[in-house]
């Protein structure tokens, strides 16, 4: 009996023998997503867009016949790590695991040509992943910095890298140029503000301002190239400035050089892969806006994936203060829009959070087509909420349960609830939940 049981293979019990899981699949939620992918996707779809399988019927991902052996081995060894494509450009707090997003897009039944929305896109993981899968996407965030970061990560998939590469020979000048605008970041010090104009993206720099004002849009190829190069360098600079604020291990100039080199390496790599695979990227629309009042029509979205702030566990404005200051953003005005940051004390913050999340769910229900899915990833800071509810941390009702109850008011019914471990954050939050809600009514 024991020998018979031990001779069985778990994955062969779950999947057909010609479907092999990726080697670094570590968590149960990943096995669950693979299980549903296997049930929902056709063989051709699994080969093209599957998140958790490395071999299907003896075939790895579909590569053109003329692909180099280097490209083939790149895929066979599984490239889907956290930092692949442009996901690794900028360490944003609360960033999704890209492979999980890919699996969710599949499990929600989204197909090339459909449109997925992330109304709180942060660093744009959903958009980058959807774009690579041929699925159209719309991303929205209240923070102008998130819009800039996500747009840049999308543009880097296709932009010309020639001018950015050339700056490696005079990276000191580039560094000094940006540094002059804000002053060298020193630990604990606030950078001075630069001039303020209405459009935060163009206000960042004269060249960018010049090209964006020089409408009529669309920009000429050369102007677009100038703008893309500028944004690429700026993201690398802001990333390095963030590192230098947190750690004095490397001199800021050296930090900038190594981050710029890494950005160029990563961008070059994904561009080569995309050319080799002849992938057609889908359109990604990146907007600054408010998830509580979406500027979208009713029933125009085929799927929604987002992760709201986990009540008030992270102050996204304090985290990004250097970058927001650099962009001359009025953080006091922005604070009023940011979910989880409104309110003077914990009970008031919680009240606003509930009210805001009610509006977000109502907006999600309005723009989503009936029958489609809205996936929310959320965790609970039990210590904070315990204080609000006046109970011990282990007796706190999780935000996932609170959001499921609230969602019912807007016609959302839970289709699946999964959980995954959170690694790398303080142990007050050990798990987060993946809620796949279906829009049933209207
Ligand atoms: C948990 S993060 C999302 C991270 C994202 N999933 C990623 O992969 O990078 C939550 C985001 O919600 C945004 N946010 C907060 N209030 C918002 C609002 N009213 N409308 C839109 N976005 C908002 C924050 O700026 C933050 O980027």
């Amino acid at each position: 009996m024991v020998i018979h049981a031990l001779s069985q293979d778990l994955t062969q019990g779950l999947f057909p023998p010609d479907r092999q899981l990726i080697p670094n699949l570590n968590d149960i939620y990943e096995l669950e997503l693979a299980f549903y992918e296997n049930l929902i996707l056709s063989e051709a779809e699994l080969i093209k867009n599957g998140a958790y399988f490395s071999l299907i019927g003896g075939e790895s991902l579909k590569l053109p016949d003329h692909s180099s052996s280097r490209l083939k081995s790149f895929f066979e060894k599984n490239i889907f790590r956290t930092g692949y494509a442009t996901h690794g450009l900028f360490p944003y707090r609360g960033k999704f695991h890209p492979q999980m997003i890919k699996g969710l897009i599949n499990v929600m039944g989204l197909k090339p040509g459909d449109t997925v929305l992330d109304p709180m896109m942060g660093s744009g993981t959903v958009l980058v992943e959807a774009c690579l899968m041929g699925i159209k996407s719309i991303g929205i965030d209240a923070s102008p910095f998130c819009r800039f970061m996500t747009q840049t990560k999308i543009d880097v998939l296709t932009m010309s890298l020639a001018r950015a590469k050339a700056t490696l020979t005079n990276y000191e000048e580039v560094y000094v140029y940006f540094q002059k605008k804000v002053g060298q970041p020193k630990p604990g010090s606030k950078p001075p503000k630069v001039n303020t104009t209405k459009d935060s993206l163009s206000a960042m720099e004269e060249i960018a301002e010049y090209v964006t004002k020089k409408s009529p849009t669309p920009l000429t190829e050369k102007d677009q190239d100038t703008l893309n190069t500028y944004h690429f360098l700026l993201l690398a600079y802001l990333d390095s400035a963030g590192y230098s604020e947190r750690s004095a291990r490397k001199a800021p100039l050296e930090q900038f050089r190594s981050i710029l080199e890494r950005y160029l390496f990563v961008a070059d790599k994904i561009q080569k892969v995309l050319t080799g695979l002849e992938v057609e990227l889908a359109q990604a629309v990146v907007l600054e806006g408010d998830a509580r009042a979406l500027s979208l029509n009713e029933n125009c979205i085929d799927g929604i994936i987002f992760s709201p702030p986990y009540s008030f566990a992270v102050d996204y404005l304090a985290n990004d203060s250097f970058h927001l200051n650099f962009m001359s953003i009025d953080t006091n005005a922005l604070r009023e829009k940011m979910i989880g940051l409104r309110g003077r004390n914990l009970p008031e913050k919680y009240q606003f959070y509930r009210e805001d999340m009610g509006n977000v769910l109502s907006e999600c229900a309005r723009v989503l087509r009936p029958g489609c899915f809205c996936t929310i990833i959320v965790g609970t800071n039990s210590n904070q909420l315990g204080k609000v509810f006046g109970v011990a941390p282990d007796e706190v009702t999780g935000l996932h349960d609170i959001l499921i109850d609230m969602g019912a008011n807007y016609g959302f019914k839970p289709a699946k609830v999964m959980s995954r471990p959170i690694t790398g954050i303080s142990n007050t939050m050990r798990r987060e939940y993946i809620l796949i809600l279906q829009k049933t009514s209207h």
Side-chain angles (χ1 to χ4, degrees), residues 14-214:
L14 291 174
F15 306 107
D18 64 342
R19 300 195 169 175
Q20 196 177 308
L21 290 170
I22 54 166
N24 62 347
L25 189 143
N26 295 327
D27 288 315
I28 291 177
Y29 85 93
E30 295 184 301
L31 196 61
E32 282 185 274
L33 285 175
F35 181 71
Y36 299 124
E37 272 194 326
N38 177 58
L39 294 177
I40 294 168
L41 267 60
S42 70
E43 182 157 310
E45 287 169 336
L46 272 179
I47 292 169
K48 190 163 182 283
N49 271 339
Y52 294 107
F53 292 91
S54 60
L55 278 176
I56 309 283
E59 250 192 285
S60 62
L61 289 183
K62 207 159 236 148
L63 299 170
D65 290 341
H66 53 79
S67 303
S68 67
S69 54
R70 212 167 134 233
L71 183 63
K72 284 181 179 147
S73 88
F74 184 62
F75 276 97
E76 273 149 23
K77 288 192 186 121
N78 170 40
I79 53 161
F80 302 109
R81 301 203 191 97
T82 328
Y84 93 101
T86 52
H87 291 298
L89 304 189
F90 213 92
Y92 191 61
R93 187 86 192 258
K95 180 148 85 180
F96 284 142
H97 196 295
Q99 208 171 348
M100 173 181 83
I101 296 305
K102 189 175 197 179
L104 284 169
I105 287 178
N106 284 330
V107 166
M108 289 161 70
L110 292 164
K111 306 282 179 216
D114 288 346
T115 302
V116 63
L117 166 73
D118 183 342
M120 300 189 186
M121 70 186 158
S123 58
T125 315
V126 170
L127 278 78
V128 172
E129 210 46 46
C131 191
L132 296 170
M133 293 172 76
I135 289 167
K136 289 184 275 181
S137 59
I138 302 176
I140 295 173
D141 202 287
S143 161
F145 175 65
C146 290
R147 172 171 70 128
F148 158 68
M149 171 171 43
T150 299
Q151 185 66 60
T152 305
K153 286 168 71 170
I154 295 288
D155 293 340
V156 171
L157 294 171
T158 51
M159 69 180 259
S160 158
L161 297 171
R163 288 166 68 191
K165 272 185 193 157
T167 62
L168 272 181
T169 52
N170 63 339
Y171 68 94
E172 294 93 339
E173 269 174 52
V174 178
Y175 179 81
V176 168
Y177 175 85
F178 285 127
Q179 198 199 4
K180 270 199 195 137
K181 297 196 88 63
V182 277
Q184 189 155 356
K186 290 192 191 75
S189 69
K190 278 209 164 168
K193 281 202 167 193
V194 287
N195 57 327
T196 311
T197 68
K198 265 196 192 140
D199 184 339
S200 45
L201 195 63
S202 65
M204 291 190 296
E205 202 275 336
E206 293 88 5
I207 306 173
E209 196 169 10
Y210 167 71
V211 287
T212 42
K213 274 192 182 152
K214 228 174 87 182

Side-chain angles (χ1 to χ4, degrees), residues 96 101 105 108 110 114-121 126-127 130 135-141 285-287 290-291 293-297 300-307 360-361 363-369 373-376:
F96 284 142
I101 296 305
I105 287 178
M108 289 161 70
L110 292 164
D114 288 346
T115 302
V116 63
L117 166 73
D118 183 342
M120 300 189 186
M121 70 186 158
V126 170
L127 278 78
I135 289 167
K136 289 184 275 181
S137 59
I138 302 176
I140 295 173
D141 202 287
V285 177
V286 184
L287 303 168
D290 192 334
L294 296 170
S295 51
L296 296 171
N297 292 334
C300 67
I301 297 292
D302 305 294
I304 300 177
I305 305 178
F306 74 102
S307 176
V360 173
L361 288 169
E363 280 295 82
C364 288
R366 182 180 66 77
V367 301
L368 190 65
R369 283 189 223 289
F373 297 93
C374 171
T375 297
I376 306 175

Side-chain angles (χ1 to χ4, degrees), residues 142-144 288 317 324 329-338:
S143 161
E288 188 180 319
L317 292 187
L324 290 163
I329 308 300
D330 177 353
T331 41
N332 287 334
L334 188 53
R335 191 162 282 274
E336 284 310 301
K337 282 195 217 158
M338 297 286 289

Side-chain angles (χ1 to χ4, degrees), residues 83-86 88-89 261-271:
Y84 93 101
T86 52
L89 304 189
E261 276 173 351
R262 182 168 67 76
Y263 275 30
L264 283 166
F265 174 78
V266 165
D268 209 35
K269 188 157 145 186
I270 185 65
Q271 288 196 3

